[in-house]
């Protein structure tokens, strides 16, 4: 690769000293100028391989698999899915219990201090108590993120990328799980405007990835011999189930969790996986429900608390004929609220994106303790705002009696009224601002949904503005942080404000809780841009199916409005990380390109029988993760060279005689400088720079694909034979031996060359994939894209009509930025 870049620069100088690369060429090469604002997909992210490798060891496993073993294998998978759901539910229980414990301790101490100091004039002491407790909690959370940086944020962008087929380093490790779970409970207890629902999704995904492996990289002693599910395919399915279980545990929404895993991540899906994911989500929901109901109400088996966040029951008071949850007239206001939610969500995402870029350039490159200081700064400002706003900006509102309510509705109101704050308010009144700020976020949402008394419009507006900017600033600091609950709380305050205005100024008979719910849905939809899964999650959280239509309409309008300005918050952070995410489909105009336009013609390949010294040289001098296995098609060599036009595999390469630098041949392909490959290798040859151009471009018949990890495994285990022996004498590896080191396969630099004879030969044919998916050079891009994404591929060889490989397509060749650059090149050419 360095030689390629050096050759390009040298040739550039020989041709035109003043020439610079165009933005399109920079995009294709995966580079960008420092003064440009655009962030391009990074090429150091690996892809997961969802496609099975149908080699001889795998076929041997299939031959020994009868119906009894197949049923046992399927039963083990169902047991593991159930265990993932139960473990995720218990994780949610752990987080919820300690968040409740720390929050109750903090608010009880500070609340009592405020009540006493309001008479004695020592509010500064109460502020110092609150500030000390919050900063200690946030300090612990931020230190855990410094130990494992991947634990920062919600984890949803990373899990979405993983389910899309991108391998994010460290994202599903046990150490990440410990730091995530412990860090989020301290971040929430520390008073930051973050939620625990997003990290629950990440935690569930980690449980899904790690539990079926029965081993840990963090703790080396945790290692059991379990030969099943040792592939990216199985692991990705379990991660889908774990992520869905995390959503189900967070919101008590098993169906919504299943749809979330389908909508937000997984590119490959089937009926059996849907059933397993739903079962896993149900297991998580009812495990958490069983224990929370038993602990909180001492009624084991009653199942009264389905999720960490539950919106309560929306119900009119019996006997009130004028009360209705919503009417057809209200739909017009819901649409307007959807537009407002989309606009505010777009503004939120825009501000947060600029903050994230600022952190990437000015905070992250510096020492780690700078991130810790930023977290403490955010905590200090948030605590000051909460305290000052509660003491000085709140209004005293009258409590509403619940004597005339039914028992069910009355119990809800009694629970809501028990969490009010009376700071500086007397005679059966309460402080509305303190009631929202000096309670856990879930309680504040309940207040906005179910509190009969009105909140002051000024209080609601101030609360929304303060919460909007502080939650936007907080999302991205070095603590585990979710965005669902802060977004719901922001939107609920806005919806309650609209309800108050309609009630007071226009004297409309509306249900305030419905408008608060629709406002929460509008703002959350404008931020995250989810539609199907979020609709179902909100319906399941309210346990009210009649809200289906208004929620769906509001989320659709919010998404359409927000998409006019920018992407969802998770897609923005995926883009900022440079992850090569594949969207659901390509744009229509991309079909002007074909596979030959976007493929990588610069191939490094191996022969079926190759010397060890050649394999070691290839593996140590390249960074590719797969190599085509080829033989030379000598019948076509006579027609190979014709004048100055080199015709190979249906692709034209114009030979530039005046361009060469050092001993590296360069060709110009569609205005792009590429490095001409050497054809790897006869068993008795090593790479040579003295080959002629004809020797470098021999027609090559494609036989299969072999991965780097497989080649390294063969070398480390000494799978080879001598020159005077037959390839049948080569040792054979079983499928379990080939996958034993998954997911951390050994590196080529771990190989002790002193133990190997470089003249020995390796027969790779039993271990290669002889039947990978392939496409023709003339296949349109949309077909290539759909095949690659739907089947979860890692490499897609391009093979012509006579079976010769002409290039290879990877994930980076299908990213939006790469396709746009190639399309611009196409327009320039024509």
């Amino acid at each position: 690769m360095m030689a390629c870049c050096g050759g390009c620069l040298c040739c550039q100088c020989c041709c035109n000293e003043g020439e610079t690369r165009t933005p399109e060429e920079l995009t294709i090469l995966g580079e960008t100028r420092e003064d440009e604002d655009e962030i391009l997909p990074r090429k150091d992210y690996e892809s997961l391989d969802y496609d099975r490798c149908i080699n001889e060891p795998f076929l041997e496993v299939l031959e020994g698999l009868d119906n009894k073993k197949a049923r046992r294998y399927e039963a083990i998978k169902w047991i593991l899915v159930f265990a993932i759901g139960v473990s995720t539910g218990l994780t949610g229980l752990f987080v919820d219990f300690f968040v409740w414990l720390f929050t109750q301790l903090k608010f009880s101490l500070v609340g009592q201090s405020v009540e006493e100091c309001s008479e004695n004039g020592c509010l500064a002491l109460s502020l110092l108590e609150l500030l000390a407790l919050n900063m200690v909690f946030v300090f612990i959370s931020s230190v855990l993120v410094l130990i494992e940086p991947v634990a920062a944020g919600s984890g949803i962008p990373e899990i979405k990328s993983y389910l899309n087929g991108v391998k994010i380093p460290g994202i599903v490790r046990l150490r990440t799980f410990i730091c995530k779970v412990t860090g989020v409970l301290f971040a929430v207890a520390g008073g930051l405007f973050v939620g625990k629902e997003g990290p629950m999704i990440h935690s569930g995904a980690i449980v899904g990835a790690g539990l079926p492996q029965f081993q840990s990289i963090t703790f080396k002693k945790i290692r059991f011999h379990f030969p099943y599910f040792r592939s990216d395919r199985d692991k990705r399915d379990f991660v889908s189930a774990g992520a869905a279980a995390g959503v189900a545990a967070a919101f008590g929404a098993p169906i919504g969790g299943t749809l979330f895993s389908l909508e937000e991540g997984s590119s490959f899906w089937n009926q059996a996986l849907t059933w397993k994911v739903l079962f896993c989500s149900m297991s998580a929901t009812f495990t958490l429900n069983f224990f929370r109901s038993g602990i909180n109400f001492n009624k084991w088996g009653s199942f009264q608390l389905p999720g960490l966040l539950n919106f309560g029951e929306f119900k009119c008071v019996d006997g009130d004929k004028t009360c209705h949850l919503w009417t057809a007239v209200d739909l017009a206001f819901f649409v307007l609220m959807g537009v407002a939610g989309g606009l505010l969500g777009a503004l939120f995402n825009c501000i947060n994106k600029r903050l994230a870029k600022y952190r990437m350039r000015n905070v992250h490159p510096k020492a780690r303790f700078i991130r810790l200081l930023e977290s403490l700064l955010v905590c200090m400002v948030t605590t000051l705002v909460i305290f000052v706003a509660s003491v000085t900006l709140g209004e005293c509102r009258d409590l509403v009696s619940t004597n005339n309510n039914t028992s069910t509705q009355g119990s809800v109101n009694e629970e809501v009224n028990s969490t009010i704050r009376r700071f500086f308010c007397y005679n059966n009144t309460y402080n509305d601002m303190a009631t929202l700020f000096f309670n856990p976020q879930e309680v504040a949402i309940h207040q906005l949904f179910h509190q009969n008394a009105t909140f002051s419009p000024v209080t609601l507006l101030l609360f929304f503005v303060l919460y909007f900017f502080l939650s936007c600033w907080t999302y991205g600091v070095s603590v585990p942080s979710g965005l669902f609950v802060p977004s719901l709380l922001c939107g609920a305050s806005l919806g309650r404000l609209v309800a108050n205005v309609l009630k007071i100024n226009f004297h409309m008979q509306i249900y305030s809780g419905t408008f608060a719910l629709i406002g929460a849905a509008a703002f959350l939809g404008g931020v995250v841009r989810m539609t199907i899964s979020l609709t179902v999650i909100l319906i399941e959280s309210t346990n009210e199916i009649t809200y289906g239509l208004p929620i769906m309409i509001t989320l659709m309008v919010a998404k359409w409005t927000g998409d006019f300005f920018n992407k969802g918050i998770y897609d923005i952070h995926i883009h900022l990380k440079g992850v090569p995410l594949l969207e659901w489909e390509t744009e229509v105009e991309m079909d002007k390109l074909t596979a030959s336009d976007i493929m990588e013609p610069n191939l490094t390949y191996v022969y079926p029988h190759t010397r060890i010294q050649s394999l070691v040289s290839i593996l140590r001098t390249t960074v590719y993760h797969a190599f085509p296995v080829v033989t030379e098609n000598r019948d076509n060599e006579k027609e190979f060279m014709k004048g100055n036009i080199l015709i190979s595999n249906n692709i034209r390469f114009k030979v530039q005689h005046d361009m060469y630098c050092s001993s590296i041949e360069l060709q110009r392909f569609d205005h792009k400088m590429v490095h001409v490959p050497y054809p790897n290798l006869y068993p008795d040859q090593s790479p040579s720079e003295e080959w002629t151009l004809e020797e470098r471009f021999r027609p090559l018949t494609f036989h299969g694909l072999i991965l780097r990890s497989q080649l390294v495994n063969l070398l480390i285990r000494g799978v080879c034979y001598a020159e005077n022996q037959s390839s049948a004498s080569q040792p054979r590896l079983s499928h379990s031996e080939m996958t034993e080191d998954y997911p951390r396969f050994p590196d080529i630099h771990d190989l002790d060359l002193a133990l190997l004879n470089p003249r020995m030969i390796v027969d790779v044919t039993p271990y290669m994939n002889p039947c990978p998916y392939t496409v023709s050079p003339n296949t349109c891009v949309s077909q290539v894209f759909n095949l690659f994404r739907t089947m979860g591929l890692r490499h897609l060889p391009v093979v012509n009509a006579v079976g010769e490989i002409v290039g290879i397509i990877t994930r980076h060749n299908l990213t939006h930025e790469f396709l746009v650059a190639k399309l611009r090149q196409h327009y320039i050419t024509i």
Side-chain angles (χ1 to χ4, degrees):
M1 189 64 68
M2 293 297 295
C4 175
C5 295
C8 290
L9 291 173
C10 178
C11 183
Q12 179 182 343
C13 294
C14 292
C15 297
N16 186 357
E17 294 182 358
E19 183 183 353
T20 59
R21 289 198 181 106
T22 65
E24 291 80 13
E25 290 175 328
L26 289 171
T27 304
I28 294 172
L29 295 173
E31 302 172 2
T32 183
R33 294 190 180 96
E34 293 183 357
D35 57 343
E36 289 186 349
D37 192 49
E38 185 180 9
I39 297 176
L40 301 176
R42 289 164 46 184
K43 291 191 174 182
D44 56 342
Y45 282 115
E46 297 181 30
S47 294
L48 299 172
D49 199 349
Y50 201 78
D51 186 26
R52 286 194 178 98
C53 180
I54 313 296
N55 53 18
E56 292 185 12
F58 181 80
L59 293 176
E60 292 173 0
V61 173
L62 291 182
E63 290 176 0
L65 187 66
D66 54 17
N67 291 334
K68 183 177 180 180
K69 291 183 179 179
R71 286 194 296 268
R72 184 176 64 182
Y73 179 85
E74 191 68 14
I76 293 174
K77 183 175 287 189
W78 279 99
I79 292 172
L80 288 174
V81 165
F82 176 74
I84 291 170
V86 172
S87 300
T88 304
L90 293 176
T91 301
L93 179 68
F94 173 83
V95 173
D96 180 69
F97 176 78
F98 281 99
V99 167
W100 173 84
L101 182 64
F102 292 148
T103 304
Q104 287 296 112
L105 175 64
K106 181 182 70 173
F107 283 132
S108 62
L109 290 176
V110 177
Q112 183 180 0
S113 176
V114 170
E115 295 291 346
E116 295 175 355
C117 289
S118 61
E119 300 177 358
N120 302 329
C122 57
L123 287 177
L125 181 61
S126 302
L127 174 59
L128 290 177
E129 290 178 0
L130 179 62
L131 190 61
L133 289 172
N134 282 348
M135 293 192 74
V136 168
F137 289 150
V138 172
F139 176 82
I140 297 173
S141 178
S142 189
V143 167
L144 290 171
V145 170
L146 295 184
I147 295 174
E148 184 54 75
V150 183
S154 66
I156 294 180
E158 290 81 4
I159 295 303
K160 181 177 179 179
S161 301
Y162 189 94
L163 295 178
N164 190 262
V166 182
K167 185 177 181 180
I168 309 294
I171 196 63
V172 291
R173 293 180 62 178
L174 179 59
R175 185 169 66 180
T176 305
F177 175 79
I178 295 173
C179 294
K180 192 84 174 187
V181 171
T182 310
V184 71
L185 68 89
F186 282 109
V188 175
L192 293 180
F193 292 167
V194 299
K196 52 183 179 288
E197 286 69 25
M200 270 302 303
I201 299 172
H202 186 189
S203 302
I206 298 175
V207 172
L211 191 61
Q213 301 299 314
F214 288 93
Q215 65 178 12
S216 171
I217 298 171
T218 304
F219 302 98
K220 304 293 184 182
K221 293 184 179 180
I222 303 179
R223 187 178 182 90
F224 300 94
H225 180 67
F226 190 71
Y228 303 103
F229 314 121
R230 316 293 291 176
S231 67
D232 286 343
R233 182 187 187 91
D234 294 320
K235 189 173 184 178
R236 194 167 157 195
D237 286 349
F238 285 123
V239 169
S240 300
V247 176
F251 298 97
I255 301 175
T258 303
L259 293 175
F260 172 85
S261 189
L262 172 62
E263 178 185 5
E264 288 300 305
S266 297
S267 56
F268 182 81
W269 205 260
N270 56 50
Q271 184 178 4
L273 180 60
T274 305
W275 183 231
K276 291 183 178 67
V277 169
L278 180 60
F279 178 67
C280 185
S281 302
M282 288 286 186
S283 303
T285 300
F286 285 98
T287 298
L288 181 62
N289 197 343
F290 175 80
F291 284 101
R292 289 191 73 210
S293 301
I295 293 173
N296 293 343
F297 301 112
N298 199 23
K299 295 181 180 179
W300 297 93
S302 60
F303 298 103
Q304 296 179 0
L305 297 173
L308 299 180
L309 177 64
N310 187 267
F311 295 157
E313 185 178 7
F314 291 79
K315 186 178 180 181
C316 290
V317 179
D318 290 344
D320 187 357
K321 301 299 183 180
T322 62
C323 177
H324 48 261
L325 294 181
W326 65 278
T327 64
V329 177
D330 297 336
L331 286 176
F333 295 103
F334 296 161
V335 171
L336 295 177
M337 291 173 68
V339 173
L343 294 173
L344 291 171
L347 177 62
F348 184 97
N349 294 352
C350 179
I351 296 174
N352 188 262
K353 181 179 180 180
R354 292 184 178 276
L355 285 172
K357 285 186 174 182
Y358 177 83
R359 289 187 179 106
M360 292 171 61
R361 293 168 180 168
N362 300 285
V363 178
H364 294 173
K366 297 181 180 179
R368 286 190 172 186
F369 78 92
I370 299 297
R371 306 184 194 181
L372 177 61
L373 293 179
E374 184 196 16
S375 302
L376 294 177
L377 174 63
V378 173
C379 174
M380 183 178 67
V381 173
T382 302
T383 304
L384 289 174
V385 168
I386 289 175
F387 192 87
V388 173
S390 299
V391 172
T392 62
L393 300 180
E395 295 187 16
C396 294
R397 314 292 293 182
D398 293 330
L399 283 172
V400 176
S401 175
T402 61
N403 293 333
N404 298 327
N405 293 341
T406 61
S407 59
T408 303
Q409 187 69 14
S411 62
V412 173
N413 287 324
E414 288 175 6
E415 180 183 351
V416 171
N417 290 337
S418 66
T419 58
I420 63 170
R421 300 293 180 230
R422 299 178 180 270
F423 295 174
F424 304 103
C425 295
Y426 309 98
N427 299 326
N428 204 29
T429 59
Y430 69 98
N431 186 321
D432 56 355
M433 184 71 80
T435 299
L436 294 176
F437 270 131
F438 264 81
N439 270 312
Q441 296 175 101
E442 293 81 3
V443 174
I445 292 175
H446 269 259
Q447 291 282 353
L448 293 170
F449 285 171
H450 302 293
Q451 175 64 275
N452 286 334
T454 59
F455 290 88
S456 166
V458 176
T459 297
L460 290 172
L461 181 60
L462 289 174
F463 178 82
F464 170 78
V465 172
L466 294 175
Y467 223 93
F468 179 92
F469 287 105
L470 285 175
S471 59
C472 184
W473 184 22
T474 304
Y475 188 72
V477 299
S478 294
V479 295
S481 57
L483 199 57
F484 276 92
V485 170
S487 299
L488 287 171
L489 191 49
C490 277
S493 63
L494 190 64
R496 191 65 185 255
L497 174 62
V498 173
N500 284 4
V501 170
L502 294 178
K503 271 188 172 183
I504 297 173
N505 296 342
F506 296 93
H507 306 287
M508 295 181 62
Q509 295 294 328
I510 59 175
Y511 188 76
S512 299
T514 298
F515 277 77
L517 174 65
I518 296 301
F523 187 78
L524 180 60
V527 172
V528 301
R529 312 289 165 78
M530 294 160 51
T531 51
I532 303 174
S533 59
L534 188 55
T535 300
V536 177
I537 288 171
L538 294 177
I539 292 174
E540 289 184 282
S541 297
T542 58
N543 198 25
E544 183 60 59
I545 190 62
T546 57
Y547 280 138
L549 180 62
I551 289 176
M552 182 178 64
I553 292 176
T554 303
L555 289 176
M556 288 172 57
V557 173
K559 175 178 169 55
W560 292 340
T561 304
D563 285 343
F564 186 78
F565 298 96
N566 50 33
K567 294 184 178 181
I569 188 69
Y570 300 133
D571 290 326
I572 287 174
H573 280 265
I574 289 173
H575 176 73
L576 291 176
K577 294 177 186 294
V579 178
L581 192 77
L582 299 185
E583 301 295 339
W584 281 101
E585 57 186 2
T586 60
E587 298 175 0
V588 177
E589 61 179 350
M590 294 301 173
D591 273 343
K592 297 175 181 178
L593 302 174
T594 62
S596 61
D597 295 322
I598 66 171
M599 71 181 186
E600 176 58 57
N602 181 12
L603 300 178
T604 301
Y605 38 85
V606 299
Y607 284 106
H609 301 264
T610 308
R611 291 196 185 278
I612 286 179
Q613 65 178 8
S614 300
L615 287 179
V616 171
S617 174
I618 293 168
L619 293 171
R620 287 196 168 185
T621 57
T622 64
V623 295
Y624 305 120
H625 294 281
F627 304 94
V629 181
V630 301
T631 55
E632 294 182 5
N633 187 357
R634 296 182 178 276
D635 294 336
N636 293 343
E637 286 188 358
K638 294 180 180 179
E639 303 295 328
F640 199 69
M641 294 291 294
K642 294 184 178 180
N644 290 335
I645 301 298
L646 177 62
I647 303 177
S648 172
N649 308 323
N650 297 339
I651 298 179
R652 291 175 178 265
F653 294 87
K654 184 180 179 182
V655 180
Q656 305 290 332
H657 294 287
D658 56 344
M659 296 182 182
Y660 80 96
C661 184
S662 300
S663 59
I664 302 174
E665 298 284 346
L666 294 168
Q667 300 293 325
R668 182 174 292 273
F669 173 65
D670 285 345
H671 304 281
K672 171 192 169 188
M673 304 306 299
V674 299
H675 170 223
V676 176
Y678 54 81
N680 294 6
L681 300 158
Y682 287 115
D684 57 347
Q685 283 185 319
S686 296
S688 172
E689 296 178 352
E690 299 178 355
W691 286 332
T692 65
L693 195 60
E694 183 176 356
E695 289 175 327
R696 292 173 184 268
F697 280 97
R698 293 185 179 94
L700 302 167
T701 301
F702 179 69
H703 295 282
L705 207 62
I706 189 163
L707 300 177
R708 167 182 287 269
S709 58
Q710 294 172 323
L711 289 176
V712 175
N713 201 2
L714 295 178
L715 293 175
I716 287 182
R717 295 179 180 270
V719 179
C720 56
Y721 66 96
E723 288 180 285
N724 56 359
Q725 295 177 330
S726 168
S727 61
S729 63
Q730 176 176 277
R732 299 294 298 271
L733 295 183
S734 64
H735 185 263
S736 61
E737 290 174 321
M738 291 292 295
T739 59
E740 182 180 358
D741 296 317
Y742 179 86
R744 293 291 184 272
F745 291 106
D747 188 75
I748 183 60
H749 298 287
D750 300 331
L751 181 64
D752 188 358
L753 297 179
L755 301 178
L756 296 175
N757 181 355
R759 303 294 295 175
M760 298 286 281
I761 302 172
V762 179
D763 180 9
V764 302
T765 53
Y767 308 101
M768 70 179 184
N769 185 2
C771 50
Y773 289 97
T774 60
V775 292
S776 165
N778 298 321
T779 307
C780 64
V781 163
S782 62
Q783 291 177 299
V784 175
F785 186 91
N786 291 335
L787 175 64
F788 193 97
R789 191 187 192 280
T790 304
M791 302 312 299
L793 303 182
R794 187 176 183 181
H795 306 91
L796 183 59
V798 183
V799 180
N800 65 11
V802 295
E804 297 171 352
I805 184 168
V806 298
I808 197 165
I809 294 173
T810 63
R811 172 175 293 270
H812 295 279
N813 300 103
L814 294 171
T815 58
H816 178 73
E817 292 79 5
F818 188 93
L819 292 178
V820 168
K822 278 295 187 180
L823 186 63
R824 290 174 182 170
Q825 238 181 29
H826 173 77
Y827 286 142
I828 294 173
T829 303
I830 62 177

